[in-house]
Structures are given as C-alpha cells and as structure tokens.
Amino acid sequence: MSSGKGGELIPSSSELDLDRPNIEDYLPSGSSIHEPLGKLRLCDLLDISPTLTEAAGAIVDDSFTQCFKSNPPEPWNWNVYLFPLWCCGVVIRYLILFPVRVIVLTVGWIIFLSCFIPVHLLLKGHDKLQKNMERALVELICSFFVASWTGVINYHGPRPSMRPKQVFVANHTSMIDFIILEQMSSFAVIMQKHPGWVGLLQSTILESVGCIWFNRTEAKDRETVTKKLREHSQGVDNNPLLIFPEGTCVNNQYSVMFKKGAFELGCTICPIAIKYNKIFVDAFWNSRKQSFTMHLLQLMTSWAVVCDVWYLEPQNLRPDETPIEFAERVRDIISVRAGLKKVPWDGYLKYSRPSPKHREQKQQSFAESVLRRLEEN
Amino acid sequence: MGNTSSMLTQYDIEEVQQHCNNAFSQQEIVSLYERFCQLDRNGGGFVSGEEFLSVPEFAVNPLSQRLLTMLDGLNFKEFVAFLSAFSPRATVQQKIEFIVKVYDSDGNGKVTFNDMLDVLHDLTGQFISEHQREQVLTKVLEEAGYTKESLLVMSDFVKLRHREI
C-alpha cells in the first residue's frame, strides 16, 4: 500500500494482487500517515485516505492469515479418465492401506506397552538402565507411528550428538513433527498441555523422555516455564530439549516470529528444518479446523507422508547479539533451508488480539506531527 | 452464497459485479470470494466483527472500530461494494464518498464538528487532550473559512482532497 504526497490514494500493483501475499511490502509499524511539512491545514487533519487504504489492504489480504491457510494438494481427478483412477485410489487407501496401518499401529502399541509397563514398574531402582530402555521404547513407538502413515523421511546432515547445554529448535507444522524427530533420536520436548487421549499420553509416556508443560493462556506461566527450561538444559543426564519457537503450528510455507525463550538459555542452538512434500498430503495440522485425531486419521488414509529433515549447523549467541536477533538469525537459517517465507508476526496472535501498543504507536506519531506543525505557524 | 466449499456461479459473479458498478473484474471477485470465505470461519455467510479483528493488520488500524460498524454483518455482495472504493478503477468521486461515509456517523450526508472530532480522536488516541483536539480543529477550520457550526458536505471534501483547503 503506498500513499503519495498529500495523502492521495495511489493504488500500487500489490494492492489488489489478491493471489499473492504482499509480505515484501509489509513494513512493521512506523508512521503510516505521510508527513508533508509546513503549516497545518484542514486537509492534513481530515484526509484519512492513507489509514483507510491500509485497513482495506488488511481486509483484502494480510500476511498473518496466509500462514495458517491449509493448502491441500491440487485436485487432479477432474476428468473422465482420471476420475475412476482416483476412485480406485480411494478404495485402496481406505479399504486396504488404512486397515493394514491400523493393524501395524496396534501391534506397535501392544509391543510398546508390554515392554514399557514392566520396565517402568520393575526397574525403579536402576535409574540409568530404566531411562535408556524407556527412551529406546519411545523411539520404537514413534517408528511405528511413522510406519502407520508410510512415512518416507529423508534425514540430512549429521545426526545430533547428545551433549549437555544443547537445545534443538525446529519449525512447526503439526504435532507429528515431534514424532518424526523422536524416531531418530530421543528428545525432551516442551508442549502445550492438551485434553483427551493426547493429554494422557503426554502425562504418562512422554514423562519418561522428559517433558515440560505450559499453558498458553496463563501469563504467569512464562516465568515458571523459563525456569524449568533452564534447569532441564543444564542437567547432564536429561534428553536434549526440542523446542518449537514459533509456538504454534504454521502451514509449512511460512514461518512466524520465533519466541526468544529458547535463545536466552545460554546453550548452543542446533536448528532443524522440516519440510513436508505437499504432493502426497498436506501435513499442516490446522488446529482451528481439525482435532488431532481427525488429523491423524487423515494422514493414515493418505498415500504417504514424505518429508525432509535437515539437521543444521549448531549456532551460538554472538557477543554483539541480543537473544531476539539470535532468534531471528536462526529463523532465517531454518527458513532458507526449508524454503519458508518469513513473516513478521507473532504466532500467538492466532489466539489473541495484538497488543494496543501497535495502534498507540501510530496514534502517537500522528499526534506528535500535528502538534509539531501547529507550532510551526 | 453459502459456505467455503460452494462455488460462485457465473450468475452470482455478474450480480456482484453489477452491484459494485464494475469496480472489480470477474477474476478479482472470485479472489475476493476466497478471501471472504477464509475470513468467515464459521460459515455464516457474513464476516463478524470478531473475525475481522482476528486479522492483526486490521486490528491495529486506528480506524478499525469505525470501519467495523460499517462492515459488521455484510454479506459477500455488500462486502465487495464496500471495498469498491479501494479498487484501482474507482473514481475520485467514489473515494471521497467513502471518506464522507466514514465521518458521517448519522448518515445524513453532512459531517459535523463532533464527527470530525471523533475521527481525530481515533487517529490520535490519548496523545492529544480533548481540549487540545478541539482547539486545533477549530483553529484549522476557521483558517479554512469554516466555523464550529459548519456542516461539511461532499463538495467540501472534494476541495479537501485537492488540497485547496
């Protein structure tokens, strides 16, 4: 959106470029109302067209909503030859693949539980052995999950080594991100506490790999969580932490701002980039549209989940960098690797309104320019 | 025009196009429809105030509340008509009409001193006192040849637009 001299409405080509998000044009905050110099006149006070143009631009397209739009694969079954083929595909997927996968998953759970429960109860005294066995078992059940979606996962880069004071961060598309990564190496994770069967899993099995819970809606929670994060990362025997700094699931085409919590712990940050291949299935868990159960069922009735995982070079806080700059630098590294477009929004805006200070900044700069020009008379 | 999964028919598109006086091409109307459905999350056929405010860029705009009173409960046809002032094909006349509509809270085509004060309040927030706002507005109005009691109409805003006052 651009406004010329005197606040005229000059529609730029991006104004109604309705198919593309104008991320490059977006400039956060600052004065939106152009400031010509000189004596204050009626037109300066009353011409609201720049502000209106901005509002209309946001209504028509905005870079935040784009991040959470599901992008299912293009339908290709639209003609008379392909449609029967697609129907065969549906039959195979739902009536053959799906039952097989359910069986595989059930077998996996039986094996897992029959090993896990005894280990958990009987090996109480032998901490080290118990931990190692539980970790191996969790890796096993994750492999079963991945097999149940016919997951084809390409891991690139050196496998992460387990060292203390190391934290892993990754971009977030769905809760299956955790399962995919856990399959390869044991991580401790920090998660939003969910209701239902997921919550049950979280409190029983995930406890064994080490988990930290938080609640998005509780403001005070942040301090306790930061403390727990710090304690965990310092501990020698704990699984390395896996953190998703976006704080919410994004649609694997964009990345939202990283929260700085993970970057203030004084640890080495190992970035991981995850990119799903959309041709097979859209792995984005749109939590506003689907429950996790529906999401899993959708994955289990698709052909495959194909994705690439890159373990990237560990990064440290540079002496002249703030944690926020560090977070943005790591976000840049991950976004470039996974082909994600960066967006200057906080993912939590999905759940709450922006803070009034953004609007107040605009109001303040306009007010100040009015008062200043008044004195120039 | 129903929920997300229903498609717009050619007839629908033409009807909408006519309603907005050809401010948008048919392709643009289809894109606007996708956007409308994206915003209308509960599929009610109109976008509620809450749904508009979930767009952060819109929520931080100083005039968002004022625009919401104009936007709330519009169906798709009316939504497109609302946006027609921002189309590149819109005439200057249409743009000015829109601005007057934003100011004119009681819809009688005349903008009062209080209307102007209200909008100025939205734009400046708590950073200018009520008293100062009145002072500034009165001063600038008088310099432009109006008084506190003047009622501004379309022709005044045309002059404003051309920066004659």
Side-chain angles (χ1 to χ4, degrees), chain A residues 5-12 15-16 18-19 22 26 32-33 36 39-66 68-69 288-289 345 349-350 352-355 358-368 370-371 373-374 377, chain B residues 4 24 27-29 31-32 34-35 38-39 41 49-65 67 71 79 82-83 85-89 95 98-99 102-103 116 119-128 132 136-137 139-141 143-144 146 152 157 159-161 163-165:
Chain A
K5 309 189 282 289
E8 278 175 16
L9 260 164
I10 302 178
S12 54
E15 179 179 315
L16 278 174
L18 298 162
D19 297 312
N22 53 333
Y26 181 78
S32 60
I33 299 169
K39 195 168 129 153
L40 191 70
R41 290 152 74 208
L42 193 60
C43 46
D44 301 313
L45 277 188
L46 295 188
D47 190 3
I48 49 175
S49 31
T51 314
L52 289 179
T53 314
E54 267 187 14
I59 294 174
V60 164
D61 195 6
D62 76 295
S63 52
F64 183 73
T65 320
Q66 290 297 334
F68 304 102
K69 195 166 104 158
R288 288 194 279 205
K289 284 214 168 126
W345 292 108
L349 287 173
K350 221 170 151 187
S352 61
R353 300 270 165 271
S355 114
H358 294 105
R359 181 189 304 191
E360 282 172 8
Q361 257 174 349
K362 294 182 193 239
Q363 290 172 326
Q364 187 173 16
S365 63
F366 181 58
E368 282 171 2
V370 165
L371 291 175
R373 291 177 60 198
L374 201 59
N377 288 353
Chain B
T4 329
F24 294 108
Q27 177 58 39
E28 285 165 349
I29 291 179
S31 304
L32 280 174
E34 274 173 26
R35 175 64 172 178
Q38 191 184 51
L39 291 173
R41 253 180 272 134
E50 271 302 300
E51 287 165 339
F52 276 115
L53 287 176
S54 72
V55 176
E57 250 175 86
F58 180 76
V60 303
N61 191 291
L63 293 176
S64 53
Q65 285 304 324
L67 288 172
L71 277 169
F79 176 71
F82 176 88
L83 288 174
F86 300 94
S87 148
R89 294 177 201 84
K95 294 187 205 283
F98 188 86
I99 295 179
V102 173
Y103 272 102
M116 292 186 262
V119 171
L120 207 55
H121 180 82
D122 284 339
L123 291 175
T124 55
Q126 79 235 54
F127 299 96
I128 300 188
Q132 256 182 326
V136 173
L137 189 57
K139 175 167 192 271
V140 171
L141 266 176
E143 279 172 7
Y146 298 94
L152 267 63
F157 276 89
K159 278 195 238 156
L160 217 78
R161 173 55 173 239
R163 299 193 70 77
E164 292 164 21
I165 43 175

Side-chain angles (χ1 to χ4, degrees), chain A residues 22-314:
Chain A
N22 53 333
I23 308 162
E24 291 82 14
D25 296 359
Y26 181 78
L27 296 166
S29 213
S31 173
S32 60
I33 299 169
H34 193 84
E35 281 186 46
L37 301 166
K39 195 168 129 153
L40 191 70
R41 290 152 74 208
L42 193 60
C43 46
D44 301 313
L45 277 188
L46 295 188
D47 190 3
I48 49 175
S49 31
T51 314
L52 289 179
T53 314
E54 267 187 14
I59 294 174
V60 164
D61 195 6
D62 76 295
S63 52
F64 183 73
T65 320
Q66 290 297 334
C67 297
F68 304 102
K69 195 166 104 158
S70 298
N71 294 303
E74 293 288 318
W76 53 272
N77 56 356
W78 34 258
N79 74 18
V80 108
Y81 303 105
L82 296 177
F83 190 67
L85 202 63
W86 179 76
C87 286
C88 289
V90 169
V91 164
I92 297 177
R93 279 189 288 133
Y94 280 81
L95 298 180
I96 302 178
L97 282 182
F98 181 63
V100 167
R101 288 169 174 175
V102 170
I103 294 173
V104 163
L105 200 56
T106 318
V107 164
W109 274 106
I110 295 174
I111 299 179
F112 174 74
L113 287 171
S114 54
C115 297
F116 189 82
I117 295 177
V119 165
H120 194 69
L121 296 174
L122 300 176
L123 284 182
K124 276 267 155 94
H126 313 263
D127 264 354
K128 187 91 187 188
L129 182 61
Q130 179 187 25
K131 266 204 171 157
N132 287 335
M133 289 202 69
E134 285 180 349
R135 282 174 195 179
L137 284 173
V138 173
E139 281 182 39
L140 181 71
I141 188 64
C142 286
S143 305
F144 268 102
F145 261 111
V146 172
S148 77
W149 318 312
T150 316
V152 177
I153 305 175
N154 302 314
Y155 296 94
H156 310 266
R159 199 167 143 174
S161 45
M162 299 302 136
R163 284 190 287 227
K165 305 207 65 173
Q166 208 175 233
V167 166
F168 289 82
V169 305
N171 58 309
H172 201 26
T173 305
S174 161
M175 286 224 283
I176 68 174
D177 290 339
F178 167 68
I179 298 177
I180 285 174
L181 293 176
E182 188 78 15
Q183 189 198 206
M184 262 309 242
S185 33
S186 214
F187 290 108
V189 75
I190 163 171
M191 287 176 96
Q192 163 86 20
K193 198 72 191 277
H194 279 86
W197 64 271
V198 181
L200 183 64
L201 279 187
Q202 286 179 324
S203 28
T204 47
I205 296 164
L206 291 180
E207 279 297 328
S208 62
V209 290
C211 276
I212 299 173
W213 312 120
F214 69 86
N215 209 330
R216 248 176 228 131
T217 50
E218 274 167 47
K220 275 226 119 177
D221 213 38
R222 264 184 112 204
E223 291 158 28
T224 24
V225 167
T226 320
K227 208 169 74 123
K228 284 193 216 170
L229 279 179
R230 199 176 282 274
E231 278 168 16
H232 186 107
S233 58
Q234 312 286 357
V236 171
D237 209 26
N238 291 328
N239 275 340
L241 265 174
L242 172 62
I243 300 180
F244 296 106
E246 288 174 309
T248 187
C249 291
V250 185
N251 70 359
N252 209 226
Q253 291 187 304
Y254 299 93
S255 68
V256 296
M257 281 172 61
F258 277 12
K259 300 197 180 318
K260 63 180 166 117
F263 301 87
E264 294 177 316
L265 296 171
C267 299
T268 311
I269 300 287
C270 307
I272 303 177
I274 308 176
K275 181 79 172 180
Y276 292 90
N277 190 329
K278 250 192 329 137
I279 296 180
F280 294 93
V281 74
D282 180 16
F284 169 49
W285 177 36
N286 195 338
S287 52
R288 288 194 279 205
K289 284 214 168 126
Q290 290 178 312
S291 69
F292 190 58
T293 319
M294 284 311 297
H295 176 64
L296 272 188
L297 286 178
Q298 188 198 348
L299 291 176
M300 287 174 76
T301 54
S302 310
W303 287 108
V305 171
V306 177
C307 78
D308 286 288
V309 174
W310 290 275
Y311 295 105
L312 302 169
E313 196 186 320

Side-chain angles (χ1 to χ4, degrees), chain A residues 311-332:
Chain A
Y311 295 105
L312 302 169
E313 196 186 320
Q315 304 289 328
N316 281 301
L317 183 70
R318 291 187 188 147
D320 53 342
E321 242 180 0
T322 65
I324 295 181
E325 287 167 356
F326 185 30
E328 279 301 291
R329 184 164 62 88
V330 172
R331 175 160 88 115
D332 205 36

Side-chain angles (χ1 to χ4, degrees), chain B residues 70-158:
Chain B
M70 297 165 75
L71 277 169
D72 206 5
L74 292 186
N75 65 21
F76 179 60
K77 203 161 67 165
E78 294 159 350
F79 176 71
V80 174
F82 176 88
L83 288 174
S84 56
F86 300 94
S87 148
R89 294 177 201 84
T91 62
V92 174
Q93 181 80 356
Q94 283 174 305
K95 294 187 205 283
I96 298 176
E97 263 173 27
F98 188 86
I99 295 179
V100 173
K101 248 198 291 188
V102 173
Y103 272 102
D104 182 16
S105 52
D106 52 11
N108 61 358
K110 302 193 182 53
V111 175
T112 67
F113 183 78
N114 280 326
D115 288 334
M116 292 186 262
L117 212 58
D118 280 342
V119 171
L120 207 55
H121 180 82
D122 284 339
L123 291 175
T124 55
Q126 79 235 54
F127 299 96
I128 300 188
S129 71
E130 184 71 33
H131 179 68
Q132 256 182 326
R133 257 195 296 272
E134 271 197 52
Q135 259 190 327
V136 173
L137 189 57
T138 315
K139 175 167 192 271
V140 171
L141 266 176
E142 282 169 2
E143 279 172 7
Y146 298 94
T147 68
K148 260 182 91 163
E149 283 70 40
S150 299
L151 297 171
L152 267 63
V153 291
M154 265 294 288
S155 50
D156 300 303
F157 276 89
V158 172

